[in-house]
Amino acid sequence: MTMPAQLSLMIQRNAAIHADALGTAFGARRRNWGEAAERIARIAGGLKALGLTEGDRVAMLALNSDRYFEFFFAVSWAGMVFTPINIRLAPPEFVHWLSDSGARALIVDDAFAKVVPAIAPQLPDLETLIFAGDGEAPEGMTLFESLAEHPAADPSARGGDDMAGLFYTGGTTGLSKGVMLSHGNI
């Protein structure tokens, strides 16, 4: 009997087998697999506490970091769909990707927080803004770190052929198009 593919199982397995081994490292932040799994489950709980539900698109526009890793796994842990946004795009392209995906939440870091006031009014589906930077959250944004203060969520039953991620093409011959990848695909 084959187990259904679920992204959360990768995190659970590493936490069970390698709990004390280094799981993530970024700058001074270091977490073992046990800590990373607990944090991912808590961030998933925080996303749910914001009113996001299974199947909702959660986008991230940020530079690479441990928080990006947590974004991918916490969103799928909660049964939502992660939508990474290419940092090399121009603001009108950010708007297209976010609008086309129907993203209800957008996570940004220090590098992209300043673009939010210009693009958010053009995104009617966007309800939640989350700041994944190292300082205080700008007005109107929830601090990413505060998501980890919520009770841990149980992993969603979504897996197999259920959509896990919505990635976009480069748009070289027209507008970028969304490509749906399932848990099994990933």
Side-chain angles (χ1 to χ4, degrees):
M1 181 171 156
T2 304
M3 292 286 295
Q6 288 179 299
L7 295 178
S8 60
L9 291 176
M10 290 191 294
I11 299 300
Q12 291 171 311
R13 180 182 183 281
N14 281 335
I17 296 173
H18 308 290
D20 295 326
L22 183 63
T24 63
F26 185 80
R29 291 191 301 260
R30 301 205 179 303
R31 293 187 178 87
N32 64 37
W33 279 110
E35 294 165 335
E38 177 66 18
R39 186 168 159 83
I40 286 165
R42 289 179 171 277
I43 293 168
L47 292 169
K48 288 181 172 191
L50 291 173
L52 297 166
T53 59
E54 286 199 3
D56 281 345
R57 276 51 165 183
V58 179
M60 188 160 188
L61 176 59
L63 300 176
N64 191 24
S65 74
D66 55 337
R67 291 178 181 143
Y68 217 117
F69 174 85
E70 293 168 344
F71 151 74
F72 277 113
F73 285 100
V75 168
S76 62
W77 190 286
M80 299 163 195
V81 177
F82 51 80
T83 306
I85 306 296
N86 186 332
I87 62 170
R88 291 183 175 89
L89 299 176
E93 294 166 309
F94 295 152
V95 170
H96 170 69
W97 285 26
L98 292 164
S99 177
D100 186 69
S101 70
R104 286 193 55 215
L106 172 62
I107 303 169
V108 295
D109 64 2
D110 294 298
F112 296 96
K114 59 189 166 283
V115 77
V116 170
I119 66 172
Q122 302 171 60
L123 301 165
D125 294 330
L126 189 61
E127 301 168 1
T128 304
L129 297 169
I130 301 167
F131 180 66
D134 289 322
E136 293 294 317
E139 186 175 335
M141 292 189 190
T142 298
L143 188 61
F144 185 84
E145 288 303 306
S146 72
L147 299 177
E149 296 170 5
H150 288 269
D154 290 331
S156 168
R158 289 174 59 100
D161 290 335
D162 293 322
M163 185 169 39
L166 183 56
F167 296 82
Y168 277 78
T169 64
T172 54
T173 59
L175 290 175
S176 296
K177 293 161 188 64
V179 178
M180 299 179 283
L181 292 179
S182 69
H183 287 258
N185 293 139
I186 295 173

